[in-house]
Amino acid sequence: MKLLSDFDGVWTYPEAEGVAHGAELEAALLAGVGEGEREAGRALLERAERETATSVAVANAIARLRLLEGEPVAARDALAPHLATSNGEPPEAMPLSMRAEAWLLDALALDALAEHEDAARSLERSLDLAEPAGLSRLLVEHGNLVRPLLHRHVRHGTAHPAIVGEALDAIEHRGAERARPVAVILAEPLSERERAILRYLPTMMSNQEIAGELFVSVNTVKTHLKAIYRKLDATGRREAVQRGRDLGLMP
């Protein structure tokens, strides 16, 4: 919460409406979200919407929060003014990294709405910007939220297999590193298959879609979900995700 309170003074700076403090602004706005302090984060975002409506940094932060809250339509609404216009040019000058993230967030929102073809197009636009600039970290930062989308994108074809592969390797490695101490925390550790399914739960994919990704039956997914809920002492999908993050099983 310290970062949020320390950064509150940025609203007194004229530069806050531009890109000069863009990265710092987004980091501060999202600090509360990452630490479970969503009410504080939401308050800053709402204030940002009123006072810095043209900032892509604010739009990206709003979109990330809306996605976390299961509101993909609202996420897309926040991003729309900052995506490319009909002639292919961005509507405002903005750092390339922020443009790439805006397209990535749009892809995640479309994927959550099961509009997979449009999601693939937005993801490819993000990759068009990210790969030449070496911005694989943008993908890695979204962890397992973007992982299923990246796997699907590779299977369906992309002009950027290298950066997607690099990001997937980093996401897998980070997940493995965080999962190492779990065996001594859980009375009954999750199996490898259960861990794989757990990592899909924040994506809002249906059981049938998860089954398709893993090439197993829907009944198999349901059986593993029951085991996951029991082992994590969770009553449902959302609580299982929170428990998994608390235990370091997922980002």
Side-chain angles (χ1 to χ4, degrees), residues 21 71 178 187 198 209 221:
H21 296 289
E71 299 177 6
R178 292 184 177 185
L198 176 64
E209 289 174 320
V221 171

Side-chain angles (χ1 to χ4, degrees), residues 4 6 10 13 22 39 41 52 56 68 71 81 89 109 114 124-125 145 155 159 163 176 180 199 235 238:
L4 285 172
D6 286 352
V10 75
Y13 298 164
E39 289 303 320
T52 59
V56 66
L68 285 171
E71 299 177 6
E89 295 298 323
E124 194 71 3
R125 293 292 297 271
L145 185 65
R155 289 201 306 271
I163 189 174
R180 285 180 181 176
R199 291 168 191 153
T235 57
R238 181 176 297 180

Side-chain angles (χ1 to χ4, degrees), residues 157-175:
T158 173
H160 308 283
I163 189 174
V164 174
E166 179 184 346
L168 284 170
D169 286 346
I171 291 169
E172 300 274 0
H173 178 73
R174 186 170 67 174

Side-chain angles (χ1 to χ4, degrees), residues 85-155:
T85 57
S86 57
N87 64 6
E89 295 298 323
E92 62 176 84
M94 66 181 80
L96 186 147
S97 62
M98 292 185 186
R99 289 171 53 198
E101 184 176 30
W103 280 110
L104 176 60
L105 291 166
D106 189 58
L108 288 169
L110 285 163
D111 195 55
L113 293 167
E115 297 179 21
H116 301 307
E117 290 185 5
D118 288 339
R121 281 191 284 271
S122 287
L123 177 56
E124 194 71 3
R125 293 292 297 271
S126 177
L127 297 173
D128 288 343
L129 296 167
E131 184 166 49
L135 294 173
S136 63
R137 63 174 178 78
L138 286 179
L139 304 174
V140 178
E141 284 173 0
H142 290 271
N144 286 316
L145 185 65
V146 76
R147 182 171 172 264
L149 180 59
L150 294 178
H151 276 299
R152 191 184 309 122
H153 205 59
V154 170
R155 289 201 306 271

Side-chain angles (χ1 to χ4, degrees), residues 180-203:
R180 285 180 181 176
V182 171
V184 300
I185 297 174
L186 290 176
E188 187 179 357
L190 300 184
S191 68
E192 288 301 317
R193 178 63 76 183
E194 288 163 356
R195 289 182 184 179
I197 291 175
L198 176 64
R199 291 168 191 153
Y200 281 98
L201 299 189
T203 66

Side-chain angles (χ1 to χ4, degrees), residues 3 16 25 27 30 33 135 140 179 214 248:
L3 180 57
L25 173 59
L30 291 171
V33 176
L135 294 173
V140 178
L214 297 174

